[in-house]
């Protein structure tokens, strides 16, 4: 079956540091890949997505590239802010009916 | 304003009682979903509906029921048969079954 594995948190960083959150997946076919962000006490917001190999999704300074050869979709941001403190979820869906398979989430804490 | 609303934000229930969580969307989306989130875990799919008057079980449907009588509404009932109902419940919708899912703000259910 499909599965998503992402690095465990919490990840604690200082403001302006570089952030990487690793995400790898197992899937049949050609999944679409997503990063969602969840701020404390809120629902999930779509951060970025990529639908085919070598696509790069980007939004709000975050980037992730769909790497089929390594089955990865790592999230990066060059300079984090305190407001980036949240839980980040990697997810995939397949073409069959769009079910989202989520990773366990990675909590990111950015300190001033 | 277009979006997904969930009510109430916090809900308390006594053991043995059924409770219904509301989810409404004005995005004209065909597909709607219910997820459960437990601390430190990813989201798990409870039920989904691809079209009005149709719905299917997700991965953890036992102890839950849904209805889809209107396109914009997808209420979830947590029954007394659900053994461990305390959790954060998230509703999502998408234009169709393979399109990107957008999430509501969530309802936190606590069983006393």
């Amino acid at each position: 079956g499909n599965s998503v594995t992402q690095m465990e948190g919490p990840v604690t960083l200082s403001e302006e540091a570089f952030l990487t959150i690793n995400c790898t997946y197992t899937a049949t076919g050609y999944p679409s890949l997503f990063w969602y962000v969840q701020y404390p006490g809120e629902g999930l917001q779509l951060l970025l997505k990529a639908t085919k190999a070598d696509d790069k999704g980007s939004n709000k300074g975050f980037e992730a590239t769909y790497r089929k050869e390594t089955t990865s979709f790592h999230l990066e941001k060059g300079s984090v802010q305190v407001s980036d403190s949240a839980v980040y979820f990697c997810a995939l869906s397949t073409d069959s009916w769009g079910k989202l398979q989520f990773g366990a989430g990675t909590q990111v804490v950015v300190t001033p | 304003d277009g979006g997904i609303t969930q009510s109430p934000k916090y809900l308390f229930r006594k053991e043995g009682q059924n409770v219904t969580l509301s989810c409404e969307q004005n995005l004209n989306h065909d597909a709607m979903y219910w997820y459960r989130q437990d601390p430190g875990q990813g989201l798990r799919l409870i039920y989904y509906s691809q079209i009005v008057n149709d719905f299917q079980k997700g991965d953890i449907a036992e102890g839950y029921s849904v209805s889809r009588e209107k396109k914009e509404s997808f209420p979830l009932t947590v029954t007394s048969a659900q053994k461990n109902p305390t959790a954060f419940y998230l509703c999502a919708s998408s234009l169709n079954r393979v399109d990107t899912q957008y999430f509501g703000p969530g309802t936190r259910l606590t069983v006393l």
Side-chain angles (χ1 to χ4, degrees):
Chain A
N2 299 336
S3 68
V4 177
T5 303
Q6 56 182 111
M7 61 190 288
E8 286 188 25
V11 174
T12 303
L13 302 163
S14 297
E15 211 164 16
E16 299 183 2
F18 186 88
L19 170 68
T20 299
I21 305 176
N22 289 340
C23 171
T24 58
Y25 67 89
T26 303
T28 54
Y30 300 93
S32 294
L33 301 173
F34 304 84
W35 278 102
Y36 283 88
V37 59
Q38 184 178 36
Y39 298 101
E42 298 184 9
L44 273 67
Q45 299 177 24
L46 178 67
L47 185 57
L48 52 84
K49 69 176 184 179
T51 57
K52 60 182 188 297
D54 300 324
D55 267 1
K56 178 185 282 188
S58 62
N59 185 26
K60 298 181 181 179
F62 290 89
E63 291 185 342
T65 302
Y66 189 144
R67 300 286 188 202
K68 193 172 188 306
E69 65 277 12
T70 55
T71 61
S72 65
F73 193 54
H74 304 322
L75 183 69
E76 297 181 336
K77 185 174 185 181
S79 176
V80 293
Q81 306 300 312
V82 172
S83 57
D84 293 323
S85 298
V87 180
Y88 293 81
F89 291 94
C90 185
L92 67 82
S93 72
T94 60
D95 290 336
S96 56
W97 61 270
K99 172 184 173 181
L100 275 175
Q101 183 74 42
F102 284 90
T106 301
Q107 183 179 11
V108 172
V109 178
V110 181
T111 58
Chain B
D1 255 19
I4 304 171
T5 56
Q6 292 186 243
S7 60
K9 189 171 177 63
Y10 299 96
L11 189 56
F12 297 88
R13 166 197 119 171
K14 292 182 180 178
E15 237 178 284
Q17 289 180 337
N18 292 355
V19 63
T20 298
L21 283 60
S22 167
C23 177
E24 305 277 331
Q25 54 95 3
N26 61 4
L27 302 168
N28 201 32
H29 285 174
D30 280 326
M32 296 187 75
Y33 311 81
W34 274 105
Y35 292 89
R36 170 182 170 135
Q37 183 180 22
D38 294 284
Q41 297 187 35
L43 280 66
R44 292 181 290 168
L45 183 66
I46 304 172
Y47 268 97
Y48 65 99
S49 168
Q50 297 180 30
I51 200 165
V52 175
N53 293 322
D54 182 60
F55 50 82
Q56 288 81 39
K57 293 181 179 180
D59 298 323
I60 55 164
E62 185 175 350
Y64 299 97
S65 66
V66 293
S67 62
R68 187 85 187 276
E69 297 175 1
K70 298 186 293 183
K71 186 174 186 178
E72 59 270 23
S73 179
F74 191 41
L76 172 75
T77 296
V78 184
T79 75
S80 56
Q82 168 51 234
K83 298 302 179 194
N84 186 20
T86 295
F88 191 46
Y89 290 87
L90 288 156
C91 177
S93 71
S94 59
L95 188 61
N96 54 54
R97 65 184 179 87
V98 295
D99 200 31
T100 300
Q101 292 180 31
Y102 296 90
F103 286 78
T107 292
R108 187 166 299 280
L109 172 65
T110 303
V111 174
L112 304 172

